Amino acid sequence: MYALTRLGRVAVAAGAALVLVTGLSSSAQAATGPFDYVSVTHGELTLENPDNGVCFLLTGGALRADNDTNTRATLYAEPGDCESQVVGTLQPGMARNFEGGTLPRAVQFG
């Protein structure tokens, strides 16, 4: 009986470890493909395979953005602040010009 109890504990511990490892690996997924934008101050720039859920600064603001990733990109008004005003959302394969309006200064994928 003791052997079965011990085996059960080992199985539970192994299962918990598997859940932790799988959960951690899925939370660090990245969008696949490039996100290109034209910066006011730096010209053409690219984020290659950006991590989902991370807030990326769009240096100088984006006059144009091309989302060639496989993940939705949400664009924000404040530099590096992905909780500020949403300027737009680009689905995979979409592009948009922002000249004449509020320029996006941050982007988050996922």
Side-chain angles (χ1 to χ4, degrees):
M1 185 68 163
Y2 175 73
L4 287 176
T5 304
R6 184 171 176 214
L7 182 60
R9 287 182 183 163
V10 169
V12 168
L18 180 63
V19 168
L20 283 173
V21 169
T22 324
L24 292 175
S25 65
S26 65
S27 65
Q29 291 180 348
T32 302
F35 177 84
D36 301 310
Y37 69 101
V38 178
S39 165
V40 174
T41 56
H42 291 84
E44 295 181 17
L45 298 170
T46 300
L47 298 171
E48 189 69 43
N49 300 325
D51 289 334
N52 286 334
V54 175
C55 188
F56 292 93
L57 172 68
L58 297 177
T59 305
L63 294 171
R64 177 177 174 81
D66 294 281
N67 183 15
D68 290 322
T69 72
N70 64 344
T71 305
R72 179 187 71 240
T74 304
L75 301 148
Y76 297 89
E78 296 299 320
D81 179 4
C82 291
E83 294 182 13
S84 66
Q85 172 192 353
V86 173
V87 176
T89 301
L90 296 177
Q91 295 300 327
M94 289 182 64
R96 181 173 165 195
N97 290 318
F98 293 95
E99 296 178 71
T102 302
L103 296 180
R105 298 185 181 278
V107 62
Q108 188 173 41
F109 298 87

